[in-house]
Amino acid sequence: NMQCEIEGFEHIYVAVDAGSFPGPDWKPNQAHMADLQAVAAVKNLLDSFDGKPATHTFKYELACIIDSNDKGTLAFRNEKRTLVIPPCRILHKTKELFEWWYLKGYRNP
């Protein structure tokens, strides 16, 4: 369900490919969506250990820069809007910067 619960099982929550979620036909199944679902799943799991009901949900959101090694195209979609920015060099550099920033948290210090 939208709280990332496996219904019928206590303290079991999933994200992305591990579950089958309700939502729009265009719902993404990518890293950004995994982040959003994982946050809801963890918060609900911690609440369940304290005897609280699962109340945390996630919003469907597609956000990516499609990179061609010298230019990037931004694609964004949520339930309210769709945005596509044509290929440009600044989006290629933006993706490089974002990847560096995002992955630094997973690299050894």
Side-chain angles (χ1 to χ4, degrees):
N1 61 24
M2 290 298 288
Q3 288 77 31
C4 302
E5 293 176 297
I6 300 285
E7 293 175 356
F9 293 87
E10 189 176 3
H11 307 302
I12 305 293
Y13 296 84
V14 299
V16 196
D17 288 342
S20 178
F21 297 93
D25 290 342
W26 58 265
K27 66 185 172 198
N29 211 14
Q30 63 180 38
H32 178 61
M33 198 71 246
D35 287 344
L36 299 176
Q37 289 176 352
V39 167
V42 168
K43 287 179 178 180
N44 286 324
L45 177 62
L46 293 174
D47 282 352
S48 76
F49 289 149
D50 289 336
K52 299 176 186 173
T55 58
H56 302 279
T57 62
F58 59 91
K59 293 181 181 180
Y60 281 110
E61 184 175 271
L62 170 68
C64 66
I65 296 176
I66 305 156
D67 193 5
S68 65
N69 291 324
D70 66 339
K71 293 181 181 175
T73 301
L74 173 69
F76 176 84
R77 186 170 188 183
N78 64 18
E79 294 174 1
K80 295 181 181 177
R81 63 184 54 96
T82 298
L83 173 69
V84 176
I85 296 178
C88 62
R89 185 151 177 74
I90 190 72
L91 288 173
H92 165 70
K93 292 296 182 187
T94 300
K95 183 167 184 167
E96 284 182 337
L97 179 64
F98 177 78
E99 286 175 351
W100 171 83
W101 173 81
Y102 185 85
L103 294 174
K104 77 177 186 171
Y106 295 101
R107 294 187 181 111
N108 292 331

